Amino acid sequence: MKLVVQVPCLNEEETLPLVLASIPESVPGIDEIVVVVIDDGSTDRTVEVARSHGVTEIVRHHRTQGLARSFTDGVNHALAIGADVVVNTDGDNQYPQDRIGDLVRPILDGHADIVVADRQVGLIAHFSPVKKALQRFGSQVVNVAARTELPDAASGFRAYSRESLMRLNTVTRFSYCMETIIQAGNKNLAIASLPVLTNARTRESRLFSSTRQHVFRSGAAIVRAYVMYRPYVIFGVMAGVFGALGLVPYARYAVLAAAGQGGGHVQSLLVGAALVVMSSLCVMLGVISDLIRTNRALIEANLEHTKRARFDILRVPATASIEPAPYEGTGLR
């Protein structure tokens, strides 16, 4: 069993040594641990520091691509070097890397496909009451969309089995956290949660410049992911709302007409007709979106087969007579 710990970094030369030093050298049930550093366009000595601490697997972006792209490229690299389990942590040392063994245990025991660390947001001292409330609300929204019960859906400290990564596809460029949970929930992957205590803050977040921006981008990612997998729910609700509102003006006009006062209230019919048309458009959009969803499911199945053909070629059984060619893990090409 090979465990790959991937560390996305953007100018983390000061904190990266703390992260690398706290990654365990051995984990029960794991035969090999490999650390992969994803350099997302750093302008400091992040890469040099990683190499000086013995990291040989480095994925480099010449320009900053964002956390989601870093996660995706790191996962592809991990799968290419034969990872059975992938743990994602951060280069700012906010997560307790010494809990990696506990994080991967449910996967090794066959109880989960994905394990998400619960940061216990209420205990984080540097989170304001507003931020704590937004974090809890965001997790509740994700749980509704994914049909899960995770207390901290935004946590980036998580473990993935190889099989789960074969089925997940990241689309958004902002953050993969919400999207992968919604995908996993709708693909019936088993997701577990592990309570942890985060380390002291070393710097401000570089993922967003303000809480408002974070809320907007996270909300957009959640809505997009939800529409991708359950469009009929959204458009069905919209069609029902517009249809019900459209009946109100018609009912009003019918009452007035029965009382002999309908002649001066034709505008009720116009408003009702507009709302009914909007309801009909929502129905048609729902049908089209559901057809697109079906087509996307076929494309994702094809992507899964492509991933297996690409990455499983390196996983020749030990009893096989043909040895795979060594993979040069120096970065993306």
Side-chain angles (χ1 to χ4, degrees):
M1 292 290 290
K2 176 182 284 190
L3 167 64
V4 171
V5 181
Q6 63 175 34
V7 189
C9 294
L10 175 59
N11 298 329
E12 307 287 9
E13 65 173 335
E14 295 183 2
T15 56
L16 184 57
L18 300 174
V19 176
L20 298 177
S22 60
I23 295 176
E25 296 183 358
S26 63
V27 171
I30 296 294
D31 302 304
E32 181 183 3
I33 299 177
V34 178
V35 177
V36 176
V37 169
I38 302 99
D39 171 36
D40 193 24
S42 297
T43 56
D44 64 357
R45 298 181 59 257
T46 294
V47 174
E48 288 78 2
V49 169
R51 286 175 175 160
S52 68
H53 283 76
V55 178
T56 58
E57 301 291 341
I58 299 176
V59 178
R60 301 195 67 176
H61 295 158
H62 296 293
R63 296 186 63 182
T64 302
Q65 302 294 321
L67 182 59
R69 181 58 186 267
S70 297
F71 171 77
T72 301
D73 290 344
V75 163
N76 289 338
H77 187 84
L79 292 174
I81 61 177
D84 295 289
V85 182
V86 176
V87 168
N88 189 87
T89 186
D90 279 349
D92 62 357
N93 197 41
Q94 68 166 304
Y95 299 122
Q97 283 75 221
D98 57 353
R99 297 293 305 278
I100 286 178
D102 298 325
L103 196 68
V104 303
R105 178 49 50 192
I107 294 177
L108 298 179
D109 292 341
H111 298 152
D113 300 300
I114 301 172
V115 183
V116 181
D118 173 17
R119 297 170 294 175
Q120 304 180 82
V121 174
L123 302 178
I124 301 179
H126 64 269
F127 275 19
S128 66
V130 174
K131 189 171 184 179
K132 292 178 181 179
L134 289 174
Q135 290 282 358
R136 287 192 292 267
F137 176 74
S139 294
Q140 290 175 358
V141 173
V142 172
N143 286 329
V144 171
R147 291 171 290 185
T148 55
E149 297 179 356
L150 295 174
D152 187 12
S155 172
F157 188 41
R158 47 181 69 182
Y160 296 85
S161 69
R162 182 180 182 87
E163 287 301 309
S164 69
L165 292 174
M166 289 291 185
R167 299 180 61 186
L168 296 177
N169 302 288
T170 305
V171 177
T172 180
R173 296 186 62 183
F174 172 59
S175 175
Y176 67 93
C177 296
M178 308 293 192
E179 181 183 1
T180 53
I181 292 299
I182 295 175
Q183 280 194 39
N186 283 278
K187 292 181 178 181
N188 295 321
L189 295 175
I191 309 175
S193 179
L194 174 72
V196 301
L197 293 176
T198 59
N199 298 322
R201 180 174 59 174
T202 56
R203 60 165 174 76
E204 296 293 335
S205 174
R206 298 195 184 109
L207 186 60
F208 53 89
S209 58
S210 66
T211 302
R212 178 181 300 178
Q213 183 191 54
H214 178 60
V215 170
F216 177 78
R217 289 189 174 182
S218 298
I222 293 172
V223 171
R224 181 185 303 163
Y226 189 76
V227 172
M228 285 174 58
Y229 287 93
R230 302 177 71 187
Y232 48 85
V233 174
I234 292 180
F235 289 109
V237 170
M238 293 175 62
V241 170
F242 284 127
L245 292 176
L247 293 177
V248 173
Y250 281 109
R252 176 177 181 271
Y253 182 82
V255 172
L256 293 173
Q261 303 176 7
H265 299 278
V266 180
Q267 65 272 19
S268 294
L269 297 178
L270 296 177
V271 173
L275 291 171
V276 170
V277 168
M278 293 179 67
S279 176
S280 301
L281 289 175
C282 288
V283 171
M284 289 186 288
L285 287 173
V287 172
I288 295 173
S289 298
D290 194 53
L291 292 175
I292 295 175
R293 179 186 66 85
T294 303
N295 187 54
R296 192 199 62 258
L298 296 174
I299 294 175
E300 286 190 336
N302 189 42
L303 283 173
E304 181 181 345
H305 292 308
T306 301
K307 285 182 180 180
R308 294 185 185 280
R310 175 186 176 187
F311 298 126
D312 284 351
I313 191 174
L314 299 177
R315 296 171 61 82
V316 178
T319 56
S321 59
I322 301 177
E323 253 183 49
Y327 181 86
E328 296 295 335
T330 57
L332 295 180
R333 294 174 174 81

